Amino acid sequence: MLYTMLKKIVNAKTYNQTEITKRVNTFFAVGQLEDSEYRELIAQIETVYA
């Protein structure tokens, strides 16, 4: 599942904060993520990269 994969990528800091945010935004824009999943991922990015 895309959401699970993205959570793992965020936690592993595979990309820098700007790059992973762009990727999550893109997946959301094309309808691959639900609103709640998107909000959780953005919050997770802010926490992990703080």
Side-chain angles (χ1 to χ4, degrees), residues 11-27:
N11 284 330
K13 290 188 171 181
T14 305
Y15 302 100
N16 66 43
Q17 183 176 6
T18 302
E19 188 62 33
I20 192 61
T21 301
K22 285 180 186 178
R23 290 173 187 265
V24 169
N25 287 340
T26 301
F27 285 123

Side-chain angles (χ1 to χ4, degrees), residues 30-47:
V30 297
Q32 296 296 308
L33 293 170
E34 300 290 328
D35 290 344
S36 61
E37 293 172 334
Y38 174 75
R39 286 192 304 270
E40 287 179 30
L41 285 167
I42 293 299
Q44 181 182 0
I45 289 168
E46 291 174 5
T47 300

